[in-house]
Amino acid sequence: STGGPNTLVTTEWNDKVKAAVQMSASIECAGQCTALRHSVVPPGVETDQLAGVFDGIKEIPNAPYAVDNALFDGVFAKHQGSGVPDTEKDGYMHHSKVDAYYRIGSEPPVGIDKPGDLPEYWRKVVVDFTKMDVTGKNNENVIKLAGWLNKHQPISLAINGKRSEVFELGIQLFDRTGMVVNTIGSTDTDDHPPALSCQARPQEAEVFGKLAVLY
């Protein structure tokens, strides 16, 4: 795994998942190596729901302010980053109130951070949403997603779903990929909240190089 577009997968959509996507996308103004770049969501999630992910992102005036207020996720005012997406050419939308970009598709995005294709937009909040059903066994979309992950090689993969089902999905993706960081969270259990792409917390089922099956 070499540091491609970090990915968060969820089979359900609710406010807790929304918060996990928001925090993962804006961690240190998208400067952490595991900041979110790609999220797979259920097909039924509406465009305004995905745009709403960015509504609560805070604008941070400077680093001392962030330290004083214990803010590790947000957008620094007038930050430079690595350029911005071309909204006309590449189809990204800019949030109406926050310096964040997003794009919605039905297939995993092609060529992020590859020569001649889309950059990762370091230190910019940019998320590609893929509306795709990855539930059930022997799902062709799971195989397709695994192939995408192997090609693009994110450092971090977060997998969320119902507690009773999420480990099956986690095993399917783990068996087919070579991710370094795999984090499994639930969408329906308070003791096991949705996993973030931007964390390093083995006590919440993040593992390096092997899969922890917890019951």
Side-chain angles (χ1 to χ4, degrees), residues 11 32 41 43 100 112 144 204-205:
T11 61
Q32 186 170 329
V41 301
I112 293 178
K144 181 187 299 183
E204 290 182 359

Side-chain angles (χ1 to χ4, degrees), residues 145-168:
L145 176 60
W148 185 91
L149 291 167
N150 283 325
K151 179 178 180 180
H152 293 280
Q153 288 290 296
I155 293 174
S156 176
L157 174 64
I159 306 166
N160 296 299
K162 291 181 179 179
R163 181 72 173 171
S164 61
E165 302 171 355
V166 69
F167 287 103
E168 177 60 36

Side-chain angles (χ1 to χ4, degrees), residues 2-32:
T2 56
N6 298 300
T7 297
L8 183 152
V9 179
T10 184
T11 61
E12 291 193 311
W13 187 261
N14 56 34
D15 287 343
K16 292 181 180 180
V17 173
K18 174 182 173 182
V21 173
Q22 176 190 304
M23 185 177 292
S24 295
S26 60
I27 180 73
E28 295 179 5
C29 205
Q32 186 170 329

Side-chain angles (χ1 to χ4, degrees), residues 1 4-10 34 36 38-40 145-146 148-150 153-160 169-185 195-199 205-207:
S1 182
N6 298 300
T7 297
L8 183 152
V9 179
T10 184
T34 51
L36 181 66
H38 175 221
S39 183
V40 177
L145 176 60
W148 185 91
L149 291 167
N150 283 325
Q153 288 290 296
I155 293 174
S156 176
L157 174 64
I159 306 166
N160 296 299
L169 175 58
I171 289 170
Q172 291 184 68
L173 289 171
F174 182 84
D175 283 347
R176 293 181 170 92
T177 60
M179 303 298 96
V180 170
V181 182
N182 296 267
T183 314
I184 294 178
L196 312 176
S197 75
C198 62
Q199 62 189 23
E206 179 189 75
V207 294

